[in-house]
Amino acid sequence: MMNAREVLGLQSNATDEEIRAAYIQKVKEFPPDRSPAEFEQVRDAYEKLRDPRRRIREWLFSANPATPFATTFAFTRGARKFVGADLWMAVIRGK
Amino acid sequence: MSQRFKGKRPNQISNASPGLSGLDLATAPAKVREQLAGGKSNAALTLAKDLFKAQPSPENEALLIEAYVARVEALLQQGLVIEAKSLTELVRQRHPAAGSALDSLGLIALARGGSIDELLRPLNTPDISPERRAAIEAVIQQHIYDPALIAKSTALPPDHPLRAGAQAIKDAFGAVTRGKVEDDRLALSEISRRSALAPWKLLVRAIAAFYRNDDAVCRQSLEGIRPETAAARLVPAIRALLGDKPEPSLTPAGSHLVSSVTGQSTTIAALLERLDRAFAEDDEDDTLEAVKKAIAEVRRALPDRLEEFKQRVVVRCMMDGFEPREVSPLLGGPVHPGPELQRLLATGMEMVGHPASTAVACASWHDFRLSAVEEGWFKNDGQEVAAIYLHIAELLVKLEPEQLRELQRKGTGEEDEYFLRPEKLFQRACLLDPHTEAFSKWLNWASGRPRALAVEAAEAWNKLLPDNIEPVLFLMDDLAKRDKYPSALKYLAQAERIDAVNPRVRKARLRLTTGNAIRLIQQKNYRKTREAIDEIAALPQTQQGDRPIFIEALRYMAETASGHQEEASRHEVEVARMLGAGFAAGLLIDMLGTVCKRVLPRPLLKPDKIPAPQRGQLPKLVARVMALMADMETKAELSRQWVAATSRQFAKAAATLEIGELKVLGETALSANNFEFAYNISTVGLWRPGAEAAFLLLRARSIPGIQVRRHLACAAAAAQMARQQRNMEIVDQAVTMLQHTGTRDDLSLNSFQAAEVVAKEKSEKKFPKPNERGPNYDSLIPDWGLCQCPACRGARGEGFGVFEDKDDWDDGDDDDFDDEEILDEFPPVPPGMPPAIAKMLFTEILEALESGESQESFLDRMGLLPGPKKGKGKRK
């Protein structure tokens, strides 16, 4: 499960303006009438981050030691290297 | 039909054709179909050829063509494009009827064989049929695995939408796989949703979103790619990159892509999944083995994340109750005890949820604070530390008081265990970061504790946030309860400066000034009393209703207290004039005298001294006086003598009484334990429209205890009717009443049932006789709502079963404990102990047994533990 920053696609040191801008961007991508579930997630994330005290609490207390290891240490955490088009196309061309 | 083998009789087998030996013409078609369904195109084709040779019918030719088509498809799937093309041509020559069936295969063969120009050329002809165009575009979408081939095809002009679109896709694909690209650069407006290249557009967007860490958008784009398209071949790999389990499994190229993008092998993913499974299945040996293997692989493949991984393993193992000595050898070295570990540990112990683990969590948050400050995460006097203190306090307040006391008693071995003391934590949090929410939590917790803790919280709140009204009102009320009115009035003044229109503040002015005046009368401070009463009289709200009468009565008390009897009499006369009856004035003054603790210069008025013509006014005037006392928030009880006298006059006066007056009389009757009077009042009140809920409640409170079902029915009906009328005050009272009788929370009636109760109760106009059962509510109040012990059932007149023995019923009484058991469980009372002390000790023993307290804990608590006190060790 993503934490609030991940939902809004923010770095840990995002400013108030960045948080607000990210929220607006996400609402445009997931409007409530077309993507109600995602919108709610985005809204909850913004509520957690817009208030400085809540933001601090979100940062301090959102670690979850019960998150599966495969999720925490698997593919998407950290590395998303650019490898050029050939490797990607090889998957389509290959069997 | 083609010209084939002629002259042979059907079903005859020709020895010249070895394939035909053993052929049964009747079952052969079914066998062909069976083989086709099984994917055995080669065998099906052979059999179909033999069949057609033996019996060249139109049906068999159609079956043969079907087999040919299947064979061509199989060759194409195997990449044998040339063979497929040759076979297609052969079939087309021999069996012209197969033309249309082979058309799409022919297109596929062109695409797979690289004859892109030949495939695309018809799209450039203006008279191409829509069906042909659709067939070609379907093949483009499903069988062309590289848009660049379309982009460079000279069969289409460069500005042809398909060629231009393919070029755009090629460029965009290259861009998104080389660097981050924002969405607005990927509009690809030249490619419509219906274009053959539409799946590629979604693919490009998915990849761009992936690299922007926008996983939600990435997934959304993948969802739009149809599975039969060429672009869909990348979907499993992208899902794997997103952390999903890929379906179907990855191809070798897919695995290579994933490991290249992530820098991580698929081996580690499998090991981590195994580790997760082991923890989930709670298999100790399996878990330790999985930990060992995973650590080795992480050390090799993800060395920069090894420390983080070890920390998480340590915490998970602790959460699952592993011994440190089992886990430590597997880690290959110590784990850095830094803030990351402490935070994980604290959160993990919270999740375990046991009081003992809560203590560890609290201590871990303390350690986290120290190490985070040391490592420069935040300052020790910042909002972060305040948030930590508040968080720990919130953990502790969730515990039962006894659990918290036990934790505090046991301790953790730390020198300063502030982190087990909510009062210290709240104080620290609020001092560091004073804000309303934190103070509110502190005061809320402290309000259920000894007064000093709550006052400390409120005073700190008021000092640091003087514009918050809550602590001011709390302190004001606290002082008023202790009759410290001058100080309470100072807080009231502060509250009025903050929010003069607050309803609580407006009510408080009258209450406090009245209370202050009464206190001054008690102190016989004549001068200040007159000033205080003048102050009350000057308040606008004192002019309302009967309040001026109260002021006059207060003046009487003040003058009497100071010995000015003539002046006092003048005020008494005024009170009598305003109430309309001398005896009412006397009653009011007598009650106020009791409140003011003054001995009046005349004996207390007795109801039998009321002149006979005035006795009929008793109910109305008593209601008026009691309502006035309540309105002025001056608590006083009417004596039983007066209540009885009022009760005797009630029947005649009932019709003239308002609903409010009936309610006041009802409360007065209950306070004097005159349940018959209260019942009679409810009888009258139930017939007043709109007031059924209030008088059902009064009925419930006035009926004898034996009529348990009736009591519950009335309370439940009152709750239901009050809900309908949105009278939450009565709802709360009724629900509280139901809870106090030990009924289940889900005991409730619907509106029809409530109306049934009202109808029944209206017909029960007389107070029940002793042991009378009352109306039957068995259908409304089921047995599970009532205690079923024989004593209660007997009290309800229900009796108990023939084979039941009252003495066998386990009612949880202390008498169930056997003295011998007690003496076995605990050491005997020391010789020479005084009987009274021994009895107290015995009571403590019984309570300890009931609560499940251990012997050691009990003896320690009693100070009876032998040997020296244990020293505090380090927390483990």
Side-chain angles (χ1 to χ4, degrees), chain B residues 515-577:
Chain B
N516 189 38
I518 291 173
R519 181 188 63 91
L520 290 166
I521 292 172
Q522 290 167 356
Q523 290 174 351
K524 299 188 207 173
N525 191 328
Y526 177 62
R527 187 181 57 80
K528 283 197 175 171
T529 304
R530 287 188 82 183
E531 284 171 10
I533 296 174
D534 288 341
E535 189 187 336
I536 301 171
L539 294 172
Q541 54 264 47
T542 315
Q543 314 313 316
Q544 298 165 8
D546 280 346
R547 288 173 182 172
I549 303 176
F550 192 90
I551 305 303
E552 283 301 314
L554 268 183
R555 291 198 195 281
Y556 169 87
M557 296 305 310
E559 299 301 337
T560 300
S562 59
H564 302 147
Q565 213 43 55
E566 206 174 303
E567 188 66 20
S569 298
R570 202 167 55 76
H571 289 298
E572 187 176 9
V573 165
E574 183 59 13
V575 171
R577 186 195 66 75

Side-chain angles (χ1 to χ4, degrees), chain B residues 495-530:
Chain B
E496 285 170 337
R497 281 195 298 278
I498 298 170
D499 186 2
V501 298
N502 184 305
R504 282 177 66 188
V505 173
R506 288 166 63 85
K507 275 189 81 175
R509 172 57 67 179
L510 184 58
R511 175 166 52 88
L512 292 187
T513 47
T514 305
N516 189 38
I518 291 173
R519 181 188 63 91
L520 290 166
I521 292 172
Q522 290 167 356
Q523 290 174 351
K524 299 188 207 173
N525 191 328
Y526 177 62
R527 187 181 57 80
K528 283 197 175 171
T529 304
R530 287 188 82 183

Side-chain angles (χ1 to χ4, degrees), chain A residues 26 29 53 59-60 63-65 69-70 72-73 75-77 79-82 84-85 89 92-95, chain B residues 145-146 177 179-180 210-211 214-215 217 233 240-242 251 261-262 276 305 312 316 343 347 433 435:
Chain A
K26 287 293 174 185
E29 283 177 35
R53 287 193 181 93
W59 171 62
L60 283 173
N64 184 356
F69 289 93
T72 310
F73 294 92
F75 309 107
T76 61
R77 290 293 180 263
R80 290 196 181 190
K81 298 179 195 165
F82 293 101
M89 288 305 298
I92 299 179
R93 289 193 212 104
K95 296 205 193 306
Chain B
Y145 302 130
D146 188 353
T177 52
K180 275 193 189 172
F210 167 75
Y211 278 114
D214 203 338
D215 292 5
V217 170
R233 289 179 153 213
L241 286 167
L242 290 172
T251 59
V261 170
T262 62
D276 288 324
R305 298 193 72 189
R312 283 193 171 257
R316 276 303 296 276
R343 178 164 57 173
T347 313
D433 182 20
H435 62 285

Side-chain angles (χ1 to χ4, degrees), chain B residues 46-107:
Chain B
T46 305
L47 187 56
K49 279 182 191 171
D50 290 343
L51 175 61
F52 185 67
K53 232 185 239 178
Q55 192 181 45
S57 66
E59 294 79 17
N60 288 342
E61 186 180 18
L63 190 59
L64 175 61
I65 292 170
E66 202 178 318
Y68 270 124
V69 168
R71 186 69 194 137
V72 169
E73 279 177 350
L75 289 171
L76 284 172
Q77 276 171 15
Q78 290 166 45
L80 301 170
V81 179
I82 297 171
E83 291 82 352
K85 277 171 86 171
S86 301
L87 185 58
T88 304
E89 282 314 307
L90 180 73
V91 174
R92 215 190 281 277
Q93 285 165 21
R94 289 186 184 178
H95 303 278
S100 60
L102 293 169
D103 274 352
S104 65
L105 287 177
L107 291 174

Side-chain angles (χ1 to χ4, degrees), chain B residues 163-186:
Chain B
R163 192 173 165 188
Q167 184 64 45
I169 288 286
K170 175 176 175 271
D171 293 341
F173 200 94
V176 298
T177 52
R178 281 194 304 271
K180 275 193 189 172
V181 179
E182 293 304 318
D183 237 8
D184 52 4
R185 286 187 50 199
L186 295 172

